[in-house]
Amino acid sequence: MLQVSYIRDNREQVLERLAVKNFKQVDLVDEIIQLDDNRRQTQVKLDNTSAEANSAAKQIGELMRTGKKEEAEGMKAKTGVWKEEIKKYNEELAAIEETLYQKLVLLPNLPHSSVPKGLTPEENEVVLQNGAIPELPANALPHWELAAKYKLIDFELGVKITGAGFPVYTNKGAKLQRALINFFIDEAEKAGYKEVSVPLMVNEASGFGTGQLPDKEGQMYFVTEDNLYLIPTAEVPITNLYRDVILKADELPVKNCGHTPCFRREAGSYGAHVRGLNRLHQFDKVELVQVVNPETSYDVIEQMSLHVQGLLQKLGLPYRVLRLCGGDMSFTAALTYDMETWSAAQQRWLEVSSVSNFETYQSNRLKLRFRNAEGKTQLAHTLNGSALALPRIVATLLENNQTDKGIKVPEVLVPYTRFEWID
């Protein structure tokens, strides 16, 4: 959530950055400024009336002590009027603040100055590409056929148990999943992240704190009787560990990682590009979350991007890094890098990670602050990144490493899988 003071002081810049994000409800900016004007004016009236009432209360006491009862009674009559005015101003102030709050949550985060203009994924900026694109024989199979051939994943059994988008991993497929999770967690810990295990359901306050609510409620599974949401990503519970927390400056950066299943309704997703592991309702992911000093957050996002790239390099997967354009960014992000791997059998790029800097957008909602060197509290910056999401990693590993002998397991995973080949 943006800060009202920033919107007031930087109106033109706010409008300019919202245009980069293709946000159409620009009238909201002036509505927010006007509401803040009304709030300030009402606050002044409340403060002045309260001061008069307090002063009168002291005068009444003095008049009573000096025996001037008649004057004291007259003053008491005035205080009754002031009390009514104070009540009225408090009610007006509460109504204005609620309306202002409801308007503020409708504004997305402002994109960083480096974010390119654009409306669609095709307008994202390719920052770099790494690794040779594998050349497969003409009879190469897509991952869903490889999964069936080697009995790694049973999509139909998942449909029977739950529905489409809930695969069952079997045999070496299940072991590969577990190997990847352990590898990603181990690499995160080597980079200084602390592992946490968090709930898979969150309350509305947690969803609001990280910006999933009220923006993405239609994409989240909701447990109606308990008013809980299944998490779409571990970012939500991990970041909310610090809701309503004031950290010490020397506690920054906070670096946490965690593995969870993720649950997404993916409403409206259909077609050939969602086949197999390309788009699921339940999948596993290792998430990185950092809480940092605002002065360092743009260095940190580069470090997080390099960490994810390092994982892809160790797995031997060709990849590219995209800087998302304004129209393709999430509601909450100020800057996002997407990492995509090349699917050799499908002949297309598949997104496997997003790394984002949210600046103070989440921390303002979370009331997540730190005490700076001067002893004053200020909002921290939050960042998160997938390191990595498993389904499309598994898809590209299977497709890119298929041979006549079977599927070669990347060397870095062999200590975790305890097998070199899927055959």
Side-chain angles (χ1 to χ4, degrees):
M1 187 167 63
L2 299 178
Q3 295 172 272
V4 178
S5 58
Y6 184 86
I7 296 171
R8 288 187 66 91
D9 297 341
N10 302 276
R11 176 183 177 276
E12 295 306 317
Q13 184 182 355
V14 168
L15 292 172
E16 177 187 323
R17 301 317 298 165
L18 287 175
V20 173
K21 227 169 189 181
N22 198 36
F23 184 73
K24 302 296 185 184
Q25 297 173 268
V26 291
D27 290 347
L28 272 174
V29 173
D30 287 331
E31 287 182 42
I32 286 167
I33 294 172
Q34 183 59 58
L35 282 166
D36 191 47
D37 285 338
N38 296 346
R39 182 191 63 80
R40 291 179 177 207
Q41 292 165 10
T42 304
Q43 185 70 59
V44 168
K45 292 176 184 178
L46 174 61
D47 292 344
N48 289 342
T49 305
S50 297
E52 288 188 69
N54 291 336
S55 177
K58 293 177 182 178
Q59 291 179 48
I60 291 169
E62 185 63 28
L63 290 169
M64 292 295 288
R65 280 192 296 274
T66 57
K68 299 177 181 179
K69 292 184 179 180
E70 189 174 332
E71 290 183 46
E73 291 300 324
M75 190 68 73
K76 283 181 181 179
K78 288 183 180 180
T79 60
V81 174
W82 284 325
K83 284 180 180 178
E84 286 301 315
E85 288 184 351
I86 289 171
K87 179 183 177 184
K88 181 187 72 170
Y89 290 141
N90 271 317
E91 289 173 351
E92 288 179 5
L93 189 61
I96 292 169
E97 288 177 340
E98 177 60 23
T99 303
L100 177 59
Y101 176 82
Q102 293 301 331
K103 297 289 185 182
L104 276 172
V105 299
L106 298 176
L107 282 182
N109 200 358
L110 303 179
H112 186 257
S113 58
S114 66
V115 172
K117 292 182 179 180
L119 302 178
T120 66
E122 289 69 33
E123 296 169 275
N124 292 334
E125 176 188 344
V126 178
V127 177
L128 63 87
Q129 184 170 323
N130 182 277
I133 300 298
E135 294 185 11
L136 299 181
N139 62 348
L141 301 175
H143 68 269
W144 53 87
E145 292 186 26
L146 291 168
K149 177 179 178 180
Y150 295 106
K151 295 181 172 55
L152 305 175
I153 307 168
D154 195 322
F155 292 101
E156 294 305 315
L157 192 54
V159 172
K160 172 187 173 182
I161 295 169
T162 308
F166 295 89
V168 173
Y169 296 85
T170 59
N171 306 312
K172 288 185 175 180
K175 295 183 189 302
L176 180 61
Q177 283 270 114
R178 181 156 46 87
L180 283 164
I181 292 165
N182 290 335
F183 169 61
F184 295 152
I185 289 289
D186 285 352
E187 291 297 304
E189 289 187 324
K190 289 176 187 176
Y193 290 86
K194 179 181 70 175
E195 183 180 5
V196 293
S197 182
V198 290
L200 303 184
M201 290 189 285
V202 293
N203 55 31
E204 184 177 350
S206 294
F208 174 80
T210 46
Q212 278 69 31
L213 299 175
D215 181 47
K216 291 185 172 62
E217 60 265 53
Q219 291 295 331
M220 297 168 71
Y221 287 101
F222 183 53
V223 183
T224 53
E225 290 187 5
D226 300 301
N227 292 321
L228 296 174
Y229 294 85
L230 287 170
I231 61 169
T233 166
E235 167 204 344
V236 182
I238 294 177
T239 311
N240 270 277
L241 295 173
Y242 302 94
R243 175 154 44 96
D244 298 319
V245 169
I246 299 177
L247 296 163
K248 297 175 183 176
D250 61 7
E251 293 180 292
L252 300 179
V254 171
K255 301 173 70 173
N256 286 328
C257 67
H259 155 248
T260 66
C262 302
F263 305 90
R264 300 183 185 181
R265 292 187 62 242
E266 298 290 3
S269 298
Y270 57 89
H273 284 183
V274 303
R275 192 169 180 184
L277 296 173
N278 289 341
R279 195 173 294 278
L280 301 176
H281 294 304
Q282 178 182 328
F283 61 93
D284 286 86
K285 180 157 65 80
V286 171
E287 191 77 2
L288 307 178
V289 173
Q290 289 207 41
V291 180
V292 305
N293 188 307
E295 295 177 0
T296 66
S297 68
Y298 279 94
D299 291 331
V300 170
I301 193 173
E302 299 300 330
Q303 294 164 13
M304 293 176 76
S305 171
L306 289 174
H307 177 85
V308 175
Q309 292 179 54
L311 298 177
L312 297 172
Q313 291 166 13
K314 289 175 181 179
L315 291 172
L317 293 173
Y319 67 89
R320 67 179 185 178
V321 179
L322 306 178
R323 181 184 286 111
L324 297 194
C325 68
D328 197 34
M329 288 175 64
S330 74
F331 191 83
T332 52
L335 174 65
T336 297
Y337 291 121
D338 271 7
M339 283 69 169
E340 300 179 333
T341 57
W342 178 252
S343 167
Q346 298 179 74
Q347 290 289 293
R348 65 191 189 95
W349 293 100
L350 300 178
E351 179 199 332
V352 294
S353 175
S354 284
V355 178
S356 297
N357 186 351
F358 304 101
E359 295 187 354
T360 61
Y361 194 86
Q362 291 182 333
S363 58
N364 193 26
R365 290 175 170 226
L366 294 160
K367 294 182 173 56
L368 165 52
R369 295 157 290 171
F370 72 101
R371 204 171 296 280
N372 62 26
E374 290 75 37
K376 296 180 180 179
T377 59
Q378 69 178 93
L379 294 172
H381 279 195
T382 61
L383 304 95
N384 80 273
S386 315
L388 285 156
L390 268 69
R392 295 170 188 168
I393 289 292
V394 171
T396 52
L397 283 177
L398 297 180
E399 292 180 4
N400 295 8
N401 295 319
Q402 60 183 301
T403 70
D404 292 338
K405 180 180 175 181
I407 300 169
K408 183 78 170 67
V409 175
E411 184 177 344
V412 73
L413 291 181
V414 173
Y416 296 92
T417 59
R418 296 194 178 94
F419 53 81
E420 297 181 17
W421 288 89
I422 297 173
D423 50 22

